[in-house]
Amino acid sequence: MAEKDIILRLNKVSKSFAKIENDEVTHALNEIDLSMKNGEFISLVGPSGCGKSTILRLVAGLAQPTTGSLTVNDQEIKEPSPERGMVFQKATLFPWLTVENNIAFSLRVQGKLKGNEEKVERMLKIIGLEAFKDDYPGQLSGGMAQRVALVRSLINEPDILLLDEPLGALDAFTRMNMQDEILKIWQERKQLAIMVTHDIDEAIYMGTRVIVMDATPGRVVADIKIDENYPRDRSSAAFVAYRNEILNRLHFGGRE
Ligand code: ADP
């Protein structure tokens, strides 16, 4: 468990964008009220355009709400911070740096690398890429590159880990392996993780909670606690029941 409790709150958060072509406004998020804490792995699902990525960008501090506020332990989020680490769908690695130097990058720019070299070693070990530490990103497979991107964020020991479809670009087998790897890493510190995914099974397999959203305006339509131990059995009756419940909320239910 993380050393201290981390409570993230979205208080009546709305985010609108003016369209350039006409006078219309896109209501990306409409009065979202949510509370999340460390120990939770939140899966965000919903159709394209329902505001999932906008929520992550607001929590990251990369964007500001139009109205309402976001707080971490009652402190308003105003700007990005290494305490809120983001991992994108496409592994955003520096192609001119080796795997080891990509992982060490943020410690180096913060002047914290000296004395922390063993952290870099540990991260390499966690993702099983010690033998590839001198390789460049262009030499890695998609799954390997995404592992590097993941631990590159984790090295800052973020209180909140933001995952924007981190596995969306991977093939099905690599994806399932990576789901287990991310869970293993998350279980070490149980920081608050918030993951956007389009894959309902992935949302249930990984999340302690699945938040289902809908679009125009972007809003929360269901907030479902997944009360199952890890590792989860994708074919269990409970799993299938969660899947049906979520599909119904997304209007893909068979019997409506
Ligand atoms: P999702 O991640 O669920 O697909 P997004 O959060 O990316 O949804 O977007 C929600 C809505 O806000 C969409 O209609 C999108 O077009 C709009 N939107 C998001 N970011 C911007 C932006 N920077 N400028 C204008 N419109 C945006």
Side-chain angles (χ1 to χ4, degrees):
M1 223 37 193
E3 307 73 38
K4 55 181 194 293
D5 273 345
I6 296 294
I7 298 175
L8 167 69
R9 284 209 173 87
L10 281 72
N11 312 297
K12 289 209 179 320
V13 168
S14 297
K15 178 74 177 170
S16 310
F17 296 101
K19 285 193 186 157
I20 298 169
E21 326 79 84
N22 50 36
D23 288 341
E24 281 174 37
V25 172
T26 303
H27 296 288
L29 295 173
N30 185 41
E31 301 211 337
I32 305 285
D33 273 315
L34 283 172
S35 173
M36 312 172 191
K37 70 186 295 260
N38 54 313
E40 290 192 296
F41 194 114
I42 311 276
S43 300
L44 282 181
V45 297
S48 280
C50 70
K52 304 181 294 295
S53 299
T54 301
I55 288 189
L56 288 197
R57 273 187 283 119
L58 291 170
V59 176
L62 295 168
Q64 297 299 318
T66 309
T67 57
S69 66
L70 292 94
T71 58
V72 176
N73 290 0
D74 297 324
Q75 297 282 322
E76 197 157 338
I77 297 175
K78 293 202 169 117
E79 58 195 3
S81 151
E83 283 164 19
R84 284 170 270 118
M86 184 98 145
V87 179
F88 298 94
Q89 176 178 132
K90 233 180 143 273
T92 45
L93 301 175
F94 298 117
W96 61 89
L97 293 180
T98 61
V99 165
E100 184 175 30
N101 285 330
N102 262 288
I103 296 174
F105 181 81
S106 78
L107 291 180
R108 182 169 283 133
V109 296
Q110 295 175 78
K112 291 188 190 162
L113 185 57
K114 219 169 169 336
N116 272 318
E117 293 87 351
E118 99 294 339
K119 258 191 172 178
V120 179
E121 292 300 313
R122 206 174 92 75
M123 291 294 155
L124 277 164
K125 204 163 168 211
I126 286 176
I127 53 172
L129 292 182
E130 295 114 306
F132 297 87
K133 69 185 171 105
D134 297 324
D135 282 9
Y136 289 88
Q139 296 169 273
L140 306 177
S141 70
M144 289 156 97
Q146 197 54 292
R147 276 189 211 129
V148 177
L150 184 67
V151 295
R152 201 178 56 160
S153 283
L154 287 170
I155 201 155
N156 292 311
E157 298 185 355
D159 292 330
I160 303 179
L161 183 60
L162 302 167
L163 304 158
D164 198 355
E165 281 201 76
L167 309 179
L170 304 178
D171 67 83
F173 292 116
T174 312
R175 187 169 185 149
M176 285 197 270
N177 285 329
M178 283 290 292
Q179 290 169 357
D180 288 329
E181 286 202 30
I182 293 178
L183 284 175
K184 197 175 77 192
I185 292 170
W186 167 73
Q187 278 164 336
E188 275 199 10
R189 285 186 66 235
K190 292 254 178 117
Q191 62 274 68
L192 168 60
I194 310 175
M195 179 181 73
V196 166
T197 178
H198 276 109
D199 184 327
I200 311 294
D201 278 21
E202 181 168 284
I204 303 165
Y205 186 77
M206 298 180 74
T208 58
R209 203 169 140 193
V210 177
I211 294 180
V212 185
M213 297 181 63
D214 206 348
T216 41
R219 63 198 188 279
V220 173
V221 292
D223 190 339
I224 300 163
K225 193 171 183 317
I226 308 293
D227 234 340
E228 294 288 305
N229 292 330
Y230 296 103
R232 292 177 176 159
D233 174 358
R234 293 171 216 263
S235 57
S236 72
F239 199 103
V240 172
Y242 283 123
R243 184 190 296 140
N244 288 341
E245 181 178 355
I246 293 166
L247 286 172
N248 275 322
R249 296 290 190 162
L250 292 167
H251 313 294
F252 288 112
R255 284 160 283 137
E256 266 193 277

